[in-house]
């Protein structure tokens, strides 16, 4: 089964009003296990809307969302919440780390919420932070870390529960170009070493070329780039 399968996804905002915006008009996409796909879209094309629907944070007006073969469209809110927690990791342009907790704690928290025992959460967090090169900064709070370090910690948090699917919205978009390249390498290393599938939105065609393939969101549907 594909890890993520979107078929015939349609989405409008403010339907039936003069302010109606038809954003997605029949989006189809299947991500094979381990496949890493770039989502390229001009600003306002509906990239965030699409990622929110794929991540079960929003519901489409029409179409189907399947995660690992499981039909999510029309399933109960609790089932969607559980599927999101167990199967999906999110990374945003800005890290959204909890400011009052250390890097280590930020990576432990999603595991504790998922019922992982404390000792296990602690060692997995330390291992992940080591892998991305911020092991020595584990006890610092986000404000004490550089932008690149903060984003690395956010990657660890997103991968803490070993999701099958990573959804990333401009994951290095707020970093300077040089840092962005390095941090993107770190992300790709993590994704490849776990074998997860990923849909990664980016404006950067050089980054898109380092993924398995790219799709462009244009006029409400996806085309291969
Ligand atoms: P992108 O992430 O590609 O910039 P979005 O998915 O955020 O695009 O938005 C696509 C379009 O839908 C834009 O024109 C945006 O202004 C509009 N839009 C997004 N969210 C809403 C909303 N909640 N209500 C009305 N319009 C929205
Ligand atoms: P991000 O891409 O940072 O996740 P959002 O998805 O919240 O941002 O919004 C993306 C775009 O959609 C922005 O251009 C924003 O102005 C527009 N948008 C979000 N919510 C609304 C809304 N309620 N009404 C109109 N436009 C919106």
């Amino acid at each position: 089964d594909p890890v993520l399968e979107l078929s015939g996804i349609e989405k409008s905002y403010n339907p039936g009003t003069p302010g109606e915006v038809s954003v997605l008009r029949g989006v189809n996409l299947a991500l094979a296990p381990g496949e890493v796909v770039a989502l390229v879209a001009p600003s306002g094309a509906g990239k965030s809307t699409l990622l929110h629907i794929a991540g079960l944070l929003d519901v489409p007006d029409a179409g189907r969302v399947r995660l690992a073969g499981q039909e999510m469209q029309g399933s109960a809110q609790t089932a969607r919440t559980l599927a999101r927690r167990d199967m999906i990791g999110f990374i945003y342009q800005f890290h959204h780390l909890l400011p009052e907790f250390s890097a280590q704690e930020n990576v432990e928290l999603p595991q504790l919420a998922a019922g992982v025992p404390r000792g296990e959460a602690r060692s997995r967090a330390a291992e992940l932070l080591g892998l991305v090169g911020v092991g020595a900064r584990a006890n610092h709070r986000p404000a004490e870390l550089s932008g690149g370090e903060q984003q690395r910690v956010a990657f660890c948090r997103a991968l803490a529960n070993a999701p099958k699917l990573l959804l990333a919205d401009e994951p290095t978009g707020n970093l300077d170009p040089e840092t962005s390249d390095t941090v993107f390498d770190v992300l790709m290393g993590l994704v490849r070493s776990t074998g997860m599938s990923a849909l990664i939105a980016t404006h950067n065609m050089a980054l898109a070329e380092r993924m398995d393939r790219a799709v462009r969101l244009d006029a409400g549907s996806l085309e291969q780039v």
Side-chain angles (χ1 to χ4, degrees):
D1 285 329
V3 170
L4 169 68
E5 192 173 7
L6 302 175
S7 22
I9 299 293
E10 295 175 21
K11 180 75 181 179
S12 296
Y13 292 106
N14 311 319
T17 74
E20 175 162 358
V21 198
S22 172
V23 181
L24 305 177
R25 304 163 173 245
V27 165
N28 300 303
L29 178 68
L31 257 66
E35 196 176 30
V36 178
V37 175
L39 172 62
V40 182
S43 191
K47 164 181 63 80
S48 301
T49 302
L50 181 58
L51 289 171
H52 287 168
I53 288 172
L56 310 179
L57 292 167
D58 198 0
V59 288
D61 303 327
R64 288 185 357 191
V65 181
R66 283 170 172 251
L67 281 176
Q70 194 182 335
E71 187 68 56
M72 298 313 305
Q73 216 40 47
S75 64
Q77 191 57 44
T78 47
R80 294 167 62 83
T81 303
L82 283 176
R84 185 159 65 235
R85 190 191 75 186
D86 294 340
M87 287 199 251
I88 304 177
F90 292 96
I91 299 173
Y92 304 95
Q93 184 170 357
F94 297 98
H95 57 77
H96 299 301
L97 295 170
L98 296 170
E100 67 273 33
F101 291 98
S102 69
Q104 168 79 26
E105 289 164 336
N106 267 281
V107 184
E108 287 174 9
L109 284 168
Q111 300 180 75
L112 298 176
V116 174
R118 188 167 293 274
E120 210 175 294
R122 189 175 299 146
S123 52
R124 172 142 177 94
E127 182 199 342
L128 283 168
L129 291 167
L131 276 176
V132 302
V134 292
R137 314 285 281 157
N139 295 318
H140 291 263
R141 292 182 187 190
E144 302 168 317
L145 304 175
S146 73
E149 287 171 336
Q150 290 169 355
Q151 212 53 357
R152 290 173 197 232
V153 176
F155 298 168
C156 295
R157 181 188 51 184
L159 273 63
N161 288 330
K164 288 190 169 65
L165 173 66
L166 176 71
L167 298 173
D169 196 350
E170 300 278 350
T172 61
N174 70 327
L175 303 173
D176 63 74
E178 205 171 306
T179 310
S180 165
D181 264 11
T182 315
V183 171
F184 186 81
D185 281 340
V186 167
L187 176 62
M188 287 301 280
L190 271 181
V191 168
R192 295 304 192 185
S193 70
T194 59
M196 65 171 43
S197 305
L199 182 60
I200 303 177
T202 182
H203 283 113
N204 184 328
M205 286 312 293
L207 297 186
E209 277 163 18
R210 285 150 69 179
M211 302 185 217
D212 296 326
R213 65 187 168 100
V215 291
R216 177 178 288 113
L217 182 57
D218 189 35
S221 63
L222 290 179
E223 55 188 43
Q224 302 291 331
V225 176

